[in-house]
């Protein structure tokens, strides 16, 4: 069991993928379980697969448009079963400017934030945090942490984890 900074238990799960297609399939499956207002953060080194994950997630929402990293625009919006707000906070590392993230987090869409640690002060307490670790050129380990009861239930549904 892992604990957050306040010492509260958090639910975590690790999922291994052998290739980009498996990472995308996991994300696509996750997209089938979400609701409006879901917030997902993505962390991982450059090239770990954050945008690959988001492409699979977008497919799961029925988005037909090509998904690419919003590094230079900060936020890209896509329309599917639910709106997808794909954010890249990499360029905001030392910024303290509130860019209106709350409006996205509390909207009728889904927010996926790459490099979310750079805007940690603006993130909602309840969310799904995913850290993607590159093992080999193709293999990844996704460490998924549910913060909040709804996200814990989401993780249980997605992974079949039994409550403790």
């Amino acid at each position: 069991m892992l604990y957050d900074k306040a010492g509260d238990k958090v639910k975590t799960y690790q999922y291994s993928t052998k290739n980009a297609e498996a990472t995308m399939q996991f994300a696509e499956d996750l997209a089938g379980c979400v609701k409006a207002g879901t917030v997902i953060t993505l962390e991982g080194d450059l090239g770990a697969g954050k945008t690959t994950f988001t492409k699979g997630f977008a497919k799961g929402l029925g988005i037909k448009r090509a998904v690419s990293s919003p590094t230079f625009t900060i936020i890209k919006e896509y329309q599917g079963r639910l709106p997808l707000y794909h954010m890249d906070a990499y360029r905001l590392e030392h910024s303290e400017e509130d860019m209106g993230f709350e409006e996205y987090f509390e909207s009728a869409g889904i927010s996926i934030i790459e490099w979310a640690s750079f805007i940690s002060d603006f993130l909602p307490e309840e969310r799904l945090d995913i850290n993607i670790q590159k093992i080999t050129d193709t293999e990844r380990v996704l460490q998924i942490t549910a913060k909040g009861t709804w996200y814990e239930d989401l993780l249980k549904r997605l992974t079949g984890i039994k409550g403790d």
Side-chain angles (χ1 to χ4, degrees):
M1 186 61 63
L2 292 179
Y3 295 86
D4 65 11
K5 292 176 184 174
D8 296 326
K9 285 195 297 186
V10 293
K11 303 289 183 179
T12 62
Y13 177 73
Q14 284 196 351
Y15 185 80
S16 297
T17 63
K18 297 288 182 193
N19 53 44
E21 292 77 19
T23 299
M24 290 176 67
Q25 184 61 58
F26 180 84
E28 185 177 341
D29 294 344
L30 175 60
C33 301
V34 298
K35 64 178 184 176
T38 298
V39 176
I40 300 170
T41 69
L42 297 176
E43 295 289 341
D45 292 335
L46 287 170
K50 296 179 292 296
T51 301
T52 297
F53 179 94
T54 304
K55 287 177 181 180
F57 193 92
K59 182 178 179 188
L61 289 178
I63 294 169
K64 304 292 184 209
R65 222 171 99 204
V67 172
S68 60
S69 179
T71 301
F72 297 103
T73 58
I74 310 296
I75 300 172
K76 286 188 177 179
E77 297 182 21
Y78 301 93
Q79 283 303 129
R81 175 176 62 83
L82 294 166
L84 174 62
Y85 309 116
H86 183 199
M87 307 173 191
D88 187 328
Y90 187 77
R91 295 186 172 279
L92 304 175
E93 182 174 8
H94 298 292
S95 174
E96 294 186 22
E97 181 180 348
D98 181 355
M99 300 194 53
F101 293 115
E102 267 185 18
E103 292 175 30
Y104 289 97
F105 301 155
E106 296 172 0
S107 74
I110 308 300
S111 298
I112 293 184
I113 309 104
E114 296 186 26
W115 302 99
S117 60
F118 293 149
I119 60 165
S120 60
D121 290 345
F122 300 103
L123 295 173
E125 283 186 35
E126 295 194 0
R127 61 184 188 263
L128 194 67
D129 291 338
I130 301 176
N131 187 302
I132 303 174
Q133 182 181 13
K134 184 176 179 178
I135 304 303
T136 68
D137 284 346
T138 57
E139 294 178 77
R140 302 292 186 267
V141 171
L142 286 66
Q143 181 175 328
I144 307 155
T145 303
K147 295 186 175 182
T149 304
W150 186 84
Y151 291 95
E152 290 174 9
D153 291 343
L154 170 67
L155 191 55
K156 287 176 189 174
R157 283 193 313 274
L158 184 65
T159 62
I161 295 174
K162 304 290 184 238
D164 53 342

